Amino acid sequence: MSENPIERAFCYLETPIGTLRIAESEKGILSLRFDDPVQTPPTMRGLYLDDACRQLSEYFSKKRRSFELPLDLRGSQFQKRVWSELQRIPYGQTRSYGEIAENVGNPKAARAVGLANNRNPILIIIPCHRVVCKDKKPVGYAGGIERKKYLLELEREA
């Protein structure tokens, strides 16, 4: 049984930087977050989970630079604009919070962009790890700063 009533199914994927929990709704991928369960529950079958696991595995193997999955984004209109803009950051590149704010039409909203970035429900696929300070230093990441550094380095090396 799913933990969240809007989830239809979920699964876990082991990666080089920890266990990912991937959940879907009837519309697409609903959430992707790091989770370190004491005991991994059985994987549930869904419409999008196998494809999500395959694409994420290809990403970690440096064989994929973008994702082709339906997403079920739930948030405010501003959050959705920010998350859409994050998906436009090219693989291996970064943008500052200020640049994202400017690109979504609100140049003074760097802090609000930071909050939306922090609430990104679908890590990696919506690449919030590509957002850095204006001095290009990586700060803040829901999965932890070491994971963010790993993801940035992974993309630089490809």
Side-chain angles (χ1 to χ4, degrees):
M1 191 69 136
S2 303
E3 296 173 6
N4 187 327
I6 57 177
E7 287 182 2
R8 180 173 61 201
F10 66 91
C11 69
Y12 289 91
L13 176 68
E14 294 300 326
T15 75
I17 52 175
T19 304
L20 288 173
R21 184 183 189 279
I22 309 163
E24 71 173 37
S25 72
E26 68 285 346
K27 295 178 183 175
I29 300 300
L30 183 64
S31 71
L32 175 67
R33 62 182 165 90
F34 287 98
D35 192 13
D36 296 312
V38 176
Q39 281 189 330
T40 303
T43 295
M44 297 177 68
R45 288 284 169 226
L47 289 176
Y48 312 108
L49 297 176
D50 287 342
D51 204 23
C53 286
R54 179 183 56 76
Q55 289 187 35
L56 284 158
S57 294
E58 290 170 355
Y59 169 82
F60 280 104
S61 298
K62 301 179 188 178
K63 296 175 183 168
R64 175 173 290 276
R65 292 175 175 238
S66 63
F67 296 92
E68 298 164 7
L69 294 162
L71 304 179
D72 185 1
L73 294 173
R74 298 176 187 233
S76 71
Q77 288 303 330
F78 180 77
Q79 288 172 327
K80 289 178 183 178
R81 281 198 328 265
V82 169
W83 299 335
S84 178
E85 188 61 31
L86 298 180
Q87 292 177 77
R88 290 185 183 95
I89 303 171
Y91 181 94
Q93 294 184 25
T94 59
R95 299 289 183 270
S96 71
Y97 293 96
E99 289 172 310
I100 299 295
E102 212 169 286
N103 291 346
V104 298
N106 197 342
K108 296 183 179 184
R111 282 186 185 217
V113 164
L115 289 172
N117 202 47
N118 180 264
R119 292 200 170 81
N120 172 15
I122 306 175
L123 301 178
I124 302 171
I125 293 172
I126 298 177
C128 56
H129 62 277
R130 295 180 189 155
V131 181
V132 296
C133 284
K134 63 182 168 183
D135 65 4
K136 301 297 180 189
K137 289 184 181 173
V139 295
Y141 186 61
I145 194 70
E146 292 306 314
R147 287 177 172 145
K148 181 172 186 162
K149 288 177 183 177
Y150 178 94
L151 294 170
L152 292 172
E153 192 59 33
L154 174 80
E155 292 183 9
R156 268 190 220 109
E157 292 176 353

Short mmCIF file of all heavy atoms in Angstrom, two decimals, residues 80-122:
data_model
loop_
_atom_site.label_atom_id
_atom_site.label_comp_id
_atom_site.label_asym_id
_atom_site.label_seq_id
_atom_site.Cartn_x
_atom_site.Cartn_y
_atom_site.Cartn_z
N LYS A 80 6.00 25.71 -10.14
CA LYS A 80 5.99 24.99 -11.42
C LYS A 80 6.81 25.73 -12.48
O LYS A 80 7.49 25.09 -13.28
CB LYS A 80 4.56 24.76 -11.90
CG LYS A 80 3.83 23.73 -11.07
CD LYS A 80 2.40 23.56 -11.55
CE LYS A 80 1.64 22.58 -10.68
NZ LYS A 80 0.23 22.44 -11.13
N ARG A 81 6.76 27.07 -12.48
CA ARG A 81 7.58 27.84 -13.43
C ARG A 81 9.07 27.62 -13.14
O ARG A 81 9.87 27.46 -14.06
CB ARG A 81 7.24 29.33 -13.36
CG ARG A 81 5.98 29.69 -14.12
CD ARG A 81 5.84 31.16 -14.45
NE ARG A 81 6.38 32.11 -13.53
CZ ARG A 81 5.71 32.73 -12.56
NH1 ARG A 81 4.43 32.48 -12.36
NH2 ARG A 81 6.30 33.62 -11.79
N VAL A 82 9.42 27.65 -11.85
CA VAL A 82 10.82 27.42 -11.47
C VAL A 82 11.24 26.01 -11.87
O VAL A 82 12.30 25.82 -12.48
CB VAL A 82 11.03 27.66 -9.96
CG1 VAL A 82 12.41 27.17 -9.52
CG2 VAL A 82 10.85 29.13 -9.61
N TRP A 83 10.43 25.01 -11.56
CA TRP A 83 10.78 23.63 -11.89
C TRP A 83 10.91 23.43 -13.39
O TRP A 83 11.79 22.69 -13.85
CB TRP A 83 9.77 22.66 -11.29
CG TRP A 83 9.69 22.73 -9.79
CD1 TRP A 83 10.66 23.16 -8.91
CD2 TRP A 83 8.57 22.39 -8.98
NE1 TRP A 83 10.21 23.09 -7.63
CE2 TRP A 83 8.92 22.62 -7.62
CE3 TRP A 83 7.29 21.91 -9.26
CZ2 TRP A 83 8.05 22.38 -6.57
CZ3 TRP A 83 6.41 21.67 -8.20
CH2 TRP A 83 6.81 21.90 -6.87
N SER A 84 10.07 24.10 -14.15
CA SER A 84 10.17 24.04 -15.61
C SER A 84 11.49 24.66 -16.08
O SER A 84 12.16 24.13 -16.97
CB SER A 84 8.97 24.77 -16.23
OG SER A 84 9.07 24.76 -17.63
N GLU A 85 11.85 25.78 -15.48
CA GLU A 85 13.11 26.45 -15.83
C GLU A 85 14.31 25.57 -15.46
O GLU A 85 15.31 25.53 -16.20
CB GLU A 85 13.20 27.81 -15.14
CG GLU A 85 14.37 28.64 -15.58
CD GLU A 85 14.37 28.99 -17.05
OE1 GLU A 85 13.30 29.12 -17.67
OE2 GLU A 85 15.48 29.14 -17.61
N LEU A 86 14.24 24.87 -14.34
CA LEU A 86 15.33 23.97 -13.95
C LEU A 86 15.57 22.91 -15.02
O LEU A 86 16.72 22.54 -15.29
CB LEU A 86 15.03 23.29 -12.62
CG LEU A 86 14.87 24.17 -11.39
CD1 LEU A 86 14.56 23.32 -10.16
CD2 LEU A 86 16.08 25.04 -11.15
N GLN A 87 14.50 22.45 -15.63
CA GLN A 87 14.62 21.42 -16.66
C GLN A 87 15.28 21.94 -17.93
O GLN A 87 15.71 21.16 -18.77
CB GLN A 87 13.25 20.82 -16.97
CG GLN A 87 12.71 20.01 -15.79
CD GLN A 87 11.32 19.49 -16.06
OE1 GLN A 87 11.18 18.52 -16.79
NE2 GLN A 87 10.32 20.14 -15.50
N ARG A 88 15.39 23.25 -18.05
CA ARG A 88 16.05 23.86 -19.22
C ARG A 88 17.55 24.04 -19.02
O ARG A 88 18.25 24.41 -19.95
CB ARG A 88 15.41 25.21 -19.53
CG ARG A 88 14.01 25.10 -20.08
CD ARG A 88 13.47 26.48 -20.47
NE ARG A 88 12.11 26.38 -20.92
CZ ARG A 88 11.05 26.59 -20.14
NH1 ARG A 88 11.20 26.95 -18.90
NH2 ARG A 88 9.83 26.46 -20.63
N ILE A 89 18.04 23.81 -17.81
CA ILE A 89 19.48 23.95 -17.57
C ILE A 89 20.17 22.77 -18.25
O ILE A 89 19.90 21.61 -17.92
CB ILE A 89 19.82 23.95 -16.06
CG1 ILE A 89 19.08 25.06 -15.33
CG2 ILE A 89 21.34 24.10 -15.87
CD1 ILE A 89 19.21 24.99 -13.80
N PRO A 90 21.06 23.04 -19.19
CA PRO A 90 21.71 21.93 -19.90
C PRO A 90 22.55 21.05 -18.97
O PRO A 90 23.13 21.52 -17.99
CB PRO A 90 22.62 22.65 -20.92
CG PRO A 90 22.02 24.01 -21.08
CD PRO A 90 21.45 24.35 -19.73
N TYR A 91 22.58 19.80 -19.31
CA TYR A 91 23.40 18.81 -18.62
C TYR A 91 24.82 19.33 -18.51
O TYR A 91 25.39 19.84 -19.47
CB TYR A 91 23.36 17.51 -19.44
CG TYR A 91 24.14 16.36 -18.86
CD1 TYR A 91 23.53 15.42 -18.05
CD2 TYR A 91 25.49 16.20 -19.16
CE1 TYR A 91 24.23 14.34 -17.56
CE2 TYR A 91 26.21 15.12 -18.66
CZ TYR A 91 25.57 14.19 -17.86
OH TYR A 91 26.27 13.13 -17.37
N GLY A 92 25.41 19.22 -17.33
CA GLY A 92 26.79 19.63 -17.12
C GLY A 92 26.97 21.12 -16.87
O GLY A 92 28.09 21.57 -16.69
N GLN A 93 25.89 21.89 -16.87
CA GLN A 93 25.97 23.32 -16.63
C GLN A 93 25.23 23.68 -15.34
O GLN A 93 24.47 22.87 -14.82
CB GLN A 93 25.39 24.10 -17.80
CG GLN A 93 26.18 23.94 -19.07
CD GLN A 93 25.64 24.81 -20.19
OE1 GLN A 93 25.00 25.83 -19.96
NE2 GLN A 93 25.88 24.38 -21.42
N THR A 94 25.48 24.87 -14.85
CA THR A 94 24.79 25.35 -13.65
C THR A 94 24.23 26.74 -13.92
O THR A 94 24.62 27.42 -14.88
CB THR A 94 25.75 25.43 -12.44
OG1 THR A 94 26.83 26.32 -12.74
CG2 THR A 94 26.29 24.05 -12.06
N ARG A 95 23.29 27.13 -13.07
CA ARG A 95 22.72 28.47 -13.08
C ARG A 95 22.62 28.94 -11.64
O ARG A 95 22.46 28.13 -10.73
CB ARG A 95 21.32 28.49 -13.71
CG ARG A 95 21.25 28.06 -15.15
CD ARG A 95 21.88 29.08 -16.09
NE ARG A 95 21.74 28.70 -17.48
CZ ARG A 95 22.62 27.97 -18.15
NH1 ARG A 95 23.72 27.54 -17.56
NH2 ARG A 95 22.43 27.68 -19.42
N SER A 96 22.68 30.25 -11.45
CA SER A 96 22.51 30.80 -10.10
C SER A 96 21.02 30.98 -9.81
O SER A 96 20.19 31.02 -10.73
CB SER A 96 23.23 32.14 -9.98
OG SER A 96 22.54 33.14 -10.72
N TYR A 97 20.71 31.16 -8.54
CA TYR A 97 19.33 31.42 -8.14
C TYR A 97 18.83 32.69 -8.81
O TYR A 97 17.69 32.76 -9.27
CB TYR A 97 19.24 31.54 -6.62
CG TYR A 97 19.53 30.23 -5.91
CD1 TYR A 97 20.80 29.96 -5.41
CD2 TYR A 97 18.54 29.27 -5.75
CE1 TYR A 97 21.08 28.76 -4.78
CE2 TYR A 97 18.80 28.06 -5.12
CZ TYR A 97 20.08 27.81 -4.63
OH TYR A 97 20.35 26.62 -4.01
N GLY A 98 19.69 33.70 -8.90
CA GLY A 98 19.34 34.96 -9.55
C GLY A 98 19.04 34.79 -11.03
O GLY A 98 18.11 35.40 -11.56
N GLU A 99 19.83 33.96 -11.71
CA GLU A 99 19.58 33.70 -13.13
C GLU A 99 18.24 33.02 -13.34
O GLU A 99 17.50 33.36 -14.27
CB GLU A 99 20.71 32.84 -13.72
CG GLU A 99 22.03 33.57 -13.88
CD GLU A 99 23.16 32.64 -14.28
OE1 GLU A 99 23.35 31.59 -13.62
OE2 GLU A 99 23.85 32.99 -15.26
N ILE A 100 17.92 32.07 -12.47
CA ILE A 100 16.63 31.39 -12.58
C ILE A 100 15.51 32.40 -12.33
O ILE A 100 14.51 32.42 -13.07
CB ILE A 100 16.53 30.21 -11.58
CG1 ILE A 100 17.61 29.16 -11.86
CG2 ILE A 100 15.13 29.59 -11.60
CD1 ILE A 100 17.50 28.44 -13.18
N ALA A 101 15.65 33.25 -11.32
CA ALA A 101 14.64 34.27 -11.02
C ALA A 101 14.41 35.17 -12.23
O ALA A 101 13.26 35.46 -12.60
CB ALA A 101 15.06 35.09 -9.80
N GLU A 102 15.48 35.58 -12.85
CA GLU A 102 15.37 36.42 -14.05
C GLU A 102 14.66 35.68 -15.17
O GLU A 102 13.78 36.24 -15.84
CB GLU A 102 16.78 36.82 -14.50
CG GLU A 102 16.84 38.17 -15.13
CD GLU A 102 18.28 38.63 -15.31
OE1 GLU A 102 18.91 39.00 -14.30
OE2 GLU A 102 18.72 38.61 -16.48
N ASN A 103 15.01 34.42 -15.36
CA ASN A 103 14.42 33.63 -16.44
C ASN A 103 12.93 33.34 -16.24
O ASN A 103 12.23 33.08 -17.21
CB ASN A 103 15.19 32.32 -16.64
CG ASN A 103 16.58 32.55 -17.21
OD1 ASN A 103 16.89 33.63 -17.70
ND2 ASN A 103 17.41 31.54 -17.12
N VAL A 104 12.46 33.36 -14.99
CA VAL A 104 11.02 33.14 -14.76
C VAL A 104 10.28 34.47 -14.67
O VAL A 104 9.11 34.51 -14.31
CB VAL A 104 10.74 32.26 -13.52
CG1 VAL A 104 11.31 30.87 -13.70
CG2 VAL A 104 11.20 32.90 -12.23
N GLY A 105 10.98 35.57 -14.99
CA GLY A 105 10.33 36.86 -15.07
C GLY A 105 10.23 37.65 -13.79
O GLY A 105 9.44 38.59 -13.69
N ASN A 106 11.02 37.27 -12.78
CA ASN A 106 10.97 37.98 -11.50
C ASN A 106 12.39 38.11 -10.95
O ASN A 106 12.78 37.38 -10.04
CB ASN A 106 10.06 37.23 -10.53
CG ASN A 106 9.63 38.08 -9.37
OD1 ASN A 106 10.24 39.11 -9.07
ND2 ASN A 106 8.57 37.66 -8.70
N PRO A 107 13.18 39.06 -11.49
CA PRO A 107 14.61 39.15 -11.15
C PRO A 107 14.91 39.33 -9.66
O PRO A 107 16.01 39.03 -9.24
CB PRO A 107 15.09 40.37 -11.94
CG PRO A 107 14.02 40.73 -12.89
CD PRO A 107 12.76 40.06 -12.45
N LYS A 108 13.96 39.82 -8.89
CA LYS A 108 14.20 40.04 -7.46
C LYS A 108 13.77 38.85 -6.60
O LYS A 108 13.77 38.95 -5.38
CB LYS A 108 13.48 41.30 -7.00
CG LYS A 108 14.04 42.54 -7.68
CD LYS A 108 13.39 43.79 -7.18
CE LYS A 108 14.01 44.99 -7.89
NZ LYS A 108 13.50 46.24 -7.40
N ALA A 109 13.42 37.75 -7.22
CA ALA A 109 12.85 36.62 -6.49
C ALA A 109 13.85 35.48 -6.26
O ALA A 109 13.46 34.32 -6.17
CB ALA A 109 11.63 36.10 -7.22
N ALA A 110 15.14 35.80 -6.12
CA ALA A 110 16.14 34.73 -5.94
C ALA A 110 15.84 33.88 -4.71
O ALA A 110 16.00 32.66 -4.74
CB ALA A 110 17.54 35.33 -5.85
N ARG A 111 15.40 34.51 -3.62
CA ARG A 111 15.07 33.72 -2.42
C ARG A 111 13.87 32.82 -2.65
O ARG A 111 13.84 31.67 -2.22
CB ARG A 111 14.80 34.64 -1.23
CG ARG A 111 16.07 35.17 -0.63
CD ARG A 111 15.76 35.95 0.61
NE ARG A 111 16.98 36.55 1.10
CZ ARG A 111 17.28 36.66 2.35
NH1 ARG A 111 16.44 36.25 3.28
NH2 ARG A 111 18.42 37.20 2.72
N ALA A 112 12.86 33.35 -3.34
CA ALA A 112 11.68 32.53 -3.65
C ALA A 112 12.06 31.37 -4.56
O ALA A 112 11.53 30.26 -4.42
CB ALA A 112 10.59 33.40 -4.29
N VAL A 113 12.99 31.61 -5.47
CA VAL A 113 13.49 30.54 -6.33
C VAL A 113 14.17 29.48 -5.47
O VAL A 113 13.98 28.28 -5.67
CB VAL A 113 14.47 31.08 -7.40
CG1 VAL A 113 15.28 29.96 -8.03
CG2 VAL A 113 13.70 31.85 -8.46
N GLY A 114 14.95 29.93 -4.48
CA GLY A 114 15.60 29.00 -3.56
C GLY A 114 14.59 28.12 -2.83
O GLY A 114 14.78 26.92 -2.68
N LEU A 115 13.50 28.73 -2.38
CA LEU A 115 12.44 27.96 -1.69
C LEU A 115 11.78 26.97 -2.64
O LEU A 115 11.52 25.82 -2.26
CB LEU A 115 11.41 28.90 -1.08
CG LEU A 115 11.88 29.70 0.12
CD1 LEU A 115 10.83 30.75 0.51
CD2 LEU A 115 12.16 28.78 1.30
N ALA A 116 11.48 27.40 -3.86
CA ALA A 116 10.87 26.50 -4.83
C ALA A 116 11.83 25.36 -5.17
O ALA A 116 11.43 24.21 -5.30
CB ALA A 116 10.49 27.26 -6.10
N ASN A 117 13.11 25.70 -5.31
CA ASN A 117 14.13 24.70 -5.59
C ASN A 117 14.17 23.67 -4.46
O ASN A 117 14.25 22.47 -4.70
CB ASN A 117 15.49 25.42 -5.73
CG ASN A 117 16.49 24.62 -6.51
OD1 ASN A 117 16.19 24.09 -7.56
ND2 ASN A 117 17.70 24.56 -5.99
N ASN A 118 14.09 24.15 -3.24
CA ASN A 118 14.11 23.27 -2.06
C ASN A 118 12.90 22.35 -2.01
O ASN A 118 12.97 21.26 -1.46
CB ASN A 118 14.20 24.13 -0.79
CG ASN A 118 14.21 23.29 0.45
OD1 ASN A 118 13.17 23.07 1.07
ND2 ASN A 118 15.37 22.81 0.82
N ARG A 119 11.80 22.78 -2.58
CA ARG A 119 10.57 21.98 -2.55
C ARG A 119 10.38 21.12 -3.79
O ARG A 119 9.33 20.53 -3.99
CB ARG A 119 9.38 22.90 -2.34
CG ARG A 119 9.40 23.50 -0.95
CD ARG A 119 8.06 24.02 -0.52
NE ARG A 119 8.06 24.36 0.89
CZ ARG A 119 8.54 25.49 1.41
NH1 ARG A 119 9.07 26.39 0.63
NH2 ARG A 119 8.48 25.72 2.70
N ASN A 120 11.40 21.06 -4.63
CA ASN A 120 11.34 20.23 -5.83
C ASN A 120 11.03 18.78 -5.43
O ASN A 120 11.81 18.16 -4.72
CB ASN A 120 12.69 20.30 -6.56
CG ASN A 120 12.80 19.33 -7.71
OD1 ASN A 120 11.82 18.78 -8.18
ND2 ASN A 120 14.02 19.13 -8.17
N PRO A 121 9.90 18.24 -5.89
CA PRO A 121 9.53 16.89 -5.47
C PRO A 121 10.20 15.77 -6.26
O PRO A 121 10.09 14.61 -5.90
CB PRO A 121 8.01 16.87 -5.71
CG PRO A 121 7.82 17.81 -6.86
CD PRO A 121 8.86 18.89 -6.69
N ILE A 122 10.88 16.13 -7.38
CA ILE A 122 11.41 15.10 -8.26
C ILE A 122 12.90 15.38 -8.51
O ILE A 122 13.29 15.90 -9.56
CB ILE A 122 10.61 15.03 -9.58
CG1 ILE A 122 9.11 14.86 -9.28
CG2 ILE A 122 11.12 13.90 -10.47
CD1 ILE A 122 8.21 14.90 -10.50
#
